[in-house]
Amino acid sequence: MNYWLLKSEPSTFGIDDLKARPKKTEPWDGVRNYQARNMLRDEIKKGDLAFFYHSNCKPPGIVGVVEVVKSGYPDHTAFDPDSAYFDAKSQPQNPRWFMVDVKFVKKFPEIISLDILKKQPELEGFPLLRKGNRLSVMPVAAEHWNFVQGLVKKD
DNA sequence: GCCAACGTTGGC
DNA sequence: GCCAACGTTGGC
């Protein structure tokens, strides 16, 4: 079992949107970066857990946990000319883009902001904190996963 | 294959 | 809105 971090802009799709889904699941579509694609296609497996990260908002940070409920499969939004994620170069016989399905697990009582994360010496090497990193899917080491859990405010 | 121009991400 | 840090595109 592996750990991941998935980025999304809450104005597009946030953790509350996921929680509001009837089955609390959603395809993680629209990833159009090859490095991220490779992870979605080859590495992220059903049963894995991921941090839900809100980007491009105030403040950015980790807002909760999701579980991968379906391993990588073709992102069909790439085949749909009406979709914002349409890519003519991706064909159903030879799909270029992939996605996984995720399910809501929990929302943290408070966001663990990027600001807070940056102040933790224990998180050195955390890919999210690497300068210039823009990947929307990235692996999280088990020790980093556990450490971040410890930052969650207790009720 | 090189690399300049252009587009995107995402924090600030 | 700005801009650094990429990634992609396309001419050569």
Side-chain angles (χ1 to χ4, degrees), chain A residues 98-133:
Chain A
F98 286 75
M99 61 186 177
V100 298
D101 287 356
V102 299
K103 181 176 190 177
F104 177 85
V105 173
K106 66 180 165 187
K107 180 182 176 181
F108 295 149
E110 234 178 274
I111 186 169
I112 304 172
S113 69
L114 182 60
D115 201 40
I116 296 287
L117 293 169
K118 281 179 178 169
K119 288 178 180 157
Q120 313 301 322
E122 291 86 347
L123 291 181
E124 197 173 336
F126 197 45
L128 178 73
L129 304 177
R130 268 215 324 271
K131 194 178 179 181
N133 179 40

Side-chain angles (χ1 to χ4, degrees), chain A residues 50-118:
Chain A
F51 287 132
F52 198 124
Y53 180 85
H54 279 180
S55 67
N56 216 352
C57 58
K58 288 177 183 175
I62 296 170
V63 291
V65 174
V66 300
E67 179 187 349
V68 177
V69 291
K70 184 171 180 179
S71 303
Y73 64 106
D75 181 345
H76 52 72
T77 62
F79 311 141
D80 176 6
D82 294 328
S83 169
Y85 301 130
F86 176 66
D87 180 355
K89 292 174 186 159
S90 185
Q91 301 291 321
Q93 319 85 274
N94 185 22
R96 174 176 295 202
W97 304 115
F98 286 75
M99 61 186 177
V100 298
D101 287 356
V102 299
K103 181 176 190 177
F104 177 85
V105 173
K106 66 180 165 187
K107 180 182 176 181
F108 295 149
E110 234 178 274
I111 186 169
I112 304 172
S113 69
L114 182 60
D115 201 40
I116 296 287
L117 293 169
K118 281 179 178 169

